[in-house]
Amino acid sequence: MNTLRPLTLDVNHAEHTLCVAPDTPLLYILRNDLACNGPKYGCGLGQCGACTVLVDGLAARACVLPVKAVLGRAVTTLEGLGTPQRPDPVQQAFIDEQAAQCGYCLNGMIMTAKALLADNPAPSEDEIREALRFNLCRCGTHVEIVRAVQRAALLQRRNEAGAQP
Ligand code: FES
Ligand code: FES
């Protein structure tokens, strides 16, 4: 039964209680109820990556993930990574490399890169290409995107080294 009921979600480090149908795709809740418009609707079939979010730190496709699947888990969207004043290193690197053309795919590229770098702080170019192989970019900015992830890895490592006592 997919009737409305109150569910509490942890999104971007805050709890939100909403009255929703548990089988509703997470993407709809994020965009329509929580005003998180970083994740995009591309294919709606789990195939393009435009809707990617992090669930407990792992990249997940919010268009095919029922909201009930993230109960008790931490959801992070693009909005939860950084702010315009203090962007996350991955966001900063994409700006520095001017990796956007239309920008529609970038949410998925950035969130997938974030998950990759959490697991592998110094990926090779091949590892970056492998991690992003199911994220589609129709504008063909793949070269800039790979460079942005390489730069992000460097920035993140420098930040972490600087943060050490
Ligand atoms: S919109 Fe979710 S994978 Fe395409
Ligand atoms: S920049 Fe347009 S789809 Fe990737």
Side-chain angles (χ1 to χ4, degrees):
M1 285 261 287
N2 199 27
T3 51
L4 296 181
R5 63 183 171 98
L7 298 180
T8 299
L9 306 178
D10 175 348
V11 177
N12 297 334
H13 316 295
E15 287 201 343
H16 305 268
T17 300
L18 303 162
C19 202
V20 297
D23 287 331
T24 308
L26 174 63
L27 180 64
Y28 299 177
I29 306 296
L30 293 173
R31 290 183 58 88
N32 299 339
D33 297 288
L34 299 179
C36 292
N37 294 317
K40 299 285 185 282
Y41 186 98
C43 63
L45 299 168
Q47 293 181 355
C48 74
C51 63
T52 303
V53 298
L54 302 181
V55 178
D56 288 342
L58 300 177
R61 302 210 159 178
C63 70
V64 289
L65 196 61
V67 66
K68 66 185 178 191
V70 299
L71 295 178
R73 304 170 75 189
V75 176
T76 307
T77 70
L78 189 67
E79 290 84 353
L81 291 191
T83 63
Q85 294 73 29
R86 286 178 62 93
D88 181 270
V90 182
Q91 292 169 312
Q92 185 63 56
F94 273 72
I95 295 167
D96 293 346
E97 291 293 341
Q98 300 196 3
Q101 201 166 113
C102 81
Y104 206 82
C105 68
L106 286 198
N107 169 75
M109 298 293 183
I110 290 171
M111 299 311 282
T112 306
K114 192 71 193 158
L116 167 68
L117 296 181
D119 185 48
N120 179 358
S124 66
E125 184 173 333
D126 283 350
E127 287 170 329
I128 293 170
R129 289 178 183 276
E130 173 72 12
L132 295 177
R133 74 191 187 287
F134 295 124
N135 286 76
L136 306 185
C137 173
R138 279 179 281 193
C139 299
T141 63
H142 301 88
V143 172
E144 290 82 0
I145 287 168
V146 170
R147 271 210 305 262
V149 181
Q150 290 170 318
R151 179 187 282 261
L154 206 62
L155 279 177
Q156 206 159 274
R157 291 202 303 276
R158 276 193 199 144
N159 287 356
E160 280 164 13
Q164 277 172 16

